[in-house]
């Protein structure tokens, strides 16, 4: 069996010998502020891993106007089936309710799929020196572990959010082994920050600050089979029918199908800790919801462009503020531990005059999230009621 592995590279200047400006490192220094990019499952080549690091380097220059080490990860999956790994996490955290999917996962998933070897390697290279000393045999003080963990800011894309969650699981196991108490483990873990574009993994289960950014019309991010995503898919299909009905003047289909009026949401804490909007980019006029815009998934920048929808611009600006404040906070750790601010402060921009407006919009996002959850709840109840009535009717026959 070919076991998986992973390498970590540092963004550097380009030379004739180093055309990508990316060099492999054995370990990330434990006492430096830095950014680590956990890329998607396509990051299996130097070129792709370096592309993620370059994106963050540009974000640092534009958003924070500072230079700091930027690392990124290259995966070698071996015989690890990363799709099964993600699906297993959905099942483990009871987010996948599709009975057939659960049965397949429980039947076919391997130990390497459950706990890939490359996670252990990344833990040793990235995290172990931040919570332990003497080659991982001794714990640090809680304050020192918090400080070191907070100096490292993670950014993730798609599969990278799964990797971040697995690194958290490994951290929890290792801190327990090292003698950290439950409260100490919570304190240290809460200082791990991950900004996750199109996260492919269970949301709302983390003890870290994994903050996600998703769009309804991103059709490439793997999602679990549950009422939340089933409802979104039904509404997307209904909107597609409505669009075609309007286009071809089908009066009956116009009556039968609604537009998907999805308002931008923030789902707090155990509800996912993520922002969701309908779409990041404007539709092509004649294609509407029928088009498949790969940028909905592949766009990994917090930069705002003319192609963005209004909601896309707002979500990008929230992401930019969170990134700015996370980096600013990590730089403050040099003089002693300073805890990460709560999400209500992380979303605020550095411009004082704009803070009240950002806070107001964020609260509206959160309120929209609560209302949409109610929609999903009512949808789930109606599905359950229909299933029961169908079962009862079948029994009577």
């Amino acid at each position: 069996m070919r076991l998986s592995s992973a390498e970590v590279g540092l963004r550097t200047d380009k030379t004739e010998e180093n055309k990508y400006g990316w060099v492999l490192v054995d370990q990330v220094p434990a006492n430096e502020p830095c950014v680590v990019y956990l890329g998607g499952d396509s990051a299996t080549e130097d070129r792709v891993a370096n592309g993620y690091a370059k994106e963050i380097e540009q974000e640092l220059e534009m958003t924070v106007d500072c230079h700091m080490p930027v690392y990124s990860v290259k995966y070698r999956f071996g015989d690890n089936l990363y799709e099964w790994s993600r699906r297993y996490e959905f099942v483990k955290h009871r987010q996948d309710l599709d009975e057939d999917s659960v049965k397949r996962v429980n039947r076919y998933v391997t130990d390497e799929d459950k706990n890939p070897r490359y996670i252990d390697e990344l833990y040793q290279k990235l995290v172990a020196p931040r919570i332990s000393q003497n080659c991982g045999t001794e714990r640090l003080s809680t304050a020192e572990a918090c400080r070191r963990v907070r100096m490292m800011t993670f950014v993730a894309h798609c599969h990278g959010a799964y990797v971040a969650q697995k690194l958290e699981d490994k951290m929890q196991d290792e801190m327990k082994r090292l003698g950290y108490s439950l409260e100490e483990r919570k304190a240290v873990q809460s200082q791990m920050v991950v900004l996750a574009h199109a996260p492919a993994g269970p949301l709302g289960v983390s003890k870290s600050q994994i903050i996600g950014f998703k769009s309804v019309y991103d059709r490439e991010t793997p999602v679990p089979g549950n009422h939340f995503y089933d409802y979104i898919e039904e509404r997307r299909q209904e909107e597609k029918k409505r669009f075609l009905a309007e286009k071809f003047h089908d009066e009956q289909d116009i009556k039968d199908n609604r537009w998907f009026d999805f308002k931008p949401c923030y789902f707090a804490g155990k509800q996912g800790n993520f922002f969701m909007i309908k779409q990041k980019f404007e539709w092509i006029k004649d294609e509407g919801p029928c088009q498949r815009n790969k940028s909905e998934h592949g766009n990994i920048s917090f930069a705002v462009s003319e192609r963005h929808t209004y909601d896309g611009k707002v979500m990008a600006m929230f992401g930019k503020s969170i990134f700015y404040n996370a980096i600013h906070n990590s730089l403050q750790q040099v003089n002693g531990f300073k805890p990460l601010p709560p999400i209500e402060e992380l979303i605020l921009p550095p411009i004082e005059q704009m803070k009240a407006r950002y806070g107001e919009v964020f609260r509206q996002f959160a309120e929209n999230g609560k209302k949409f959850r109610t929609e999903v709840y009512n949808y789930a109840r109606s599905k359950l009621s229909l299933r029961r009535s169908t079962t009862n009717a079948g029994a009577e026959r």
Side-chain angles (χ1 to χ4, degrees):
M1 181 178 187
R2 295 175 305 146
L3 295 176
S4 61
S5 62
E7 293 179 304
V8 176
L10 171 66
R11 179 78 177 155
T12 63
D13 294 330
K14 291 182 180 180
T15 64
E16 289 186 8
E17 294 77 24
N18 184 358
K19 60 181 180 179
Y20 294 133
W22 191 77
V23 59
L24 295 177
V25 297
D26 292 327
Q27 199 167 67
V28 175
N31 202 31
E32 69 171 14
C34 66
V35 182
V36 177
Y37 209 116
L38 303 172
D41 53 47
S42 65
T44 56
E45 302 174 2
D46 290 0
R47 175 184 58 82
V48 179
N50 175 64
Y52 282 117
K54 183 178 179 180
E55 186 73 39
I56 285 301
E57 190 174 62
Q58 293 171 344
E59 294 280 3
L60 281 167
E61 292 174 358
M62 293 186 296
T63 305
V64 192
D65 191 25
C66 79
H67 175 79
M68 68 167 54
V70 176
Y71 300 88
S72 60
V73 169
K74 181 174 76 171
Y75 310 108
R76 289 195 181 94
F77 289 110
D79 289 333
N80 166 245
L81 300 177
Y82 49 82
E83 302 97 334
W84 283 94
S85 293
R86 295 188 298 240
R87 185 62 59 184
Y88 171 73
E89 291 299 306
F90 288 136
V91 170
K92 183 176 77 173
H93 291 286
R94 299 181 181 180
Q95 293 191 1
D96 197 324
L97 305 179
D98 182 88
E99 293 182 4
D100 290 336
S101 178
V102 172
K103 287 178 182 177
R104 285 195 301 272
V105 166
N106 289 332
R107 181 175 181 180
Y108 294 115
V109 72
T110 67
D111 288 341
E112 171 65 13
D113 297 330
K114 291 180 181 178
N115 293 295
R117 182 172 175 269
Y118 71 87
I119 298 295
D120 293 338
E121 290 191 352
L122 289 177
Y123 167 79
Q124 292 298 331
K125 292 177 180 180
L126 298 172
V127 181
R130 305 247 163 185
I131 62 172
S132 63
Q133 57 189 345
N134 293 334
C135 299
T137 61
E138 295 180 20
R139 59 163 290 172
L140 301 172
S141 70
T142 305
E144 179 61 12
C146 286
R147 187 183 76 88
R148 291 191 187 187
V149 169
R150 183 66 286 280
M151 292 173 88
M152 179 179 281
T153 300
F154 290 94
V155 182
H157 178 225
C158 192
H159 184 74
Y162 158 83
V163 175
Q165 183 61 55
K166 294 298 287 183
L167 285 175
E168 174 184 309
D169 293 345
K170 182 73 175 178
M171 284 177 68
Q172 287 293 302
D173 289 343
E174 288 299 301
M175 282 194 287
K176 187 175 182 179
R177 179 184 67 80
L178 289 165
Y180 287 88
S181 69
L182 176 61
E183 290 304 313
E184 288 173 326
R185 296 199 299 273
K186 286 181 180 179
V188 174
Q189 201 69 63
S190 69
Q191 300 308 305
M192 177 176 167
V193 178
V194 185
L195 283 72
H197 297 277
L203 298 175
V205 301
S206 177
K207 299 177 179 63
S208 308
Q209 275 279 21
I210 299 181
I211 304 169
F213 304 88
K214 298 166 68 80
S215 70
V216 164
Y217 272 91
D218 168 10
R219 300 174 185 175
E220 297 183 42
T221 299
V223 296
N226 59 37
H227 297 306
F228 184 88
Y229 291 104
D230 287 349
Y231 179 62
I232 286 176
E233 180 58 25
E234 282 198 19
R235 293 303 309 275
R236 282 195 311 213
Q237 292 302 318
E238 186 179 4
E239 181 163 63
K240 181 178 177 180
K241 292 176 184 176
R242 176 60 182 263
F243 173 81
L244 294 172
E246 297 269 2
K247 187 174 182 178
F248 296 109
H249 309 290
D250 186 325
E251 296 299 327
Q252 187 58 52
D253 270 2
I254 289 175
K255 289 181 181 179
D256 293 343
N257 295 285
R258 300 165 292 171
W259 294 106
F260 190 6
D261 183 22
F262 183 88
K263 292 181 171 56
C265 295
Y266 172 69
F267 300 101
K270 296 301 181 183
Q271 290 191 337
N273 207 34
F274 70 99
F275 293 85
M276 178 176 260
I277 59 173
K278 184 175 179 179
Q279 60 197 97
K280 295 180 185 178
F281 300 100
E282 298 288 356
W283 282 331
I284 298 172
K285 183 178 179 181
D286 294 331
E287 296 185 22
C290 300
Q291 76 178 77
R292 199 178 190 94
N293 186 347
K294 290 191 175 182
S295 292
E296 290 292 337
H297 179 77
N299 175 258
I300 56 172
S301 172
F302 295 122
V304 173
S305 76
E306 293 181 356
R307 296 186 305 120
H308 275 92
T309 61
Y310 175 79
D311 292 344
K313 291 175 182 177
V314 174
M315 187 169 76
M317 290 165 69
F318 275 137
K320 186 183 289 287
S321 292
I322 295 169
F323 183 66
Y324 173 89
N325 288 317
I327 295 300
H328 182 68
N329 177 259
S330 72
L331 293 171
Q332 293 177 312
Q333 308 303 320
V334 175
N335 298 319
F337 173 55
K338 184 171 183 178
L340 181 76
I343 186 70
E344 291 81 5
E345 294 180 27
L346 286 173
I347 55 95
L348 299 178
I351 303 172
E352 195 66 35
Q353 297 91 323
M354 295 295 294
K355 288 185 177 181
R357 178 58 179 157
Y358 271 61
E360 178 184 337
V361 174
F362 176 71
R363 285 189 289 275
Q364 186 59 60
F365 269 46
E367 188 61 31
N368 292 344
K370 293 176 183 177
K371 290 178 180 178
F372 187 73
R373 281 287 183 183
T374 301
E375 275 188 57
V376 173
Y377 174 75
N378 291 334
Y379 164 81
R381 285 191 64 184
S382 67
K383 284 289 184 182
L384 181 60
S385 177
L386 179 62
R387 190 181 305 140
R388 284 173 177 169
S389 62
T390 303
T391 301
N392 292 337
E396 289 175 2
R397 287 199 296 270

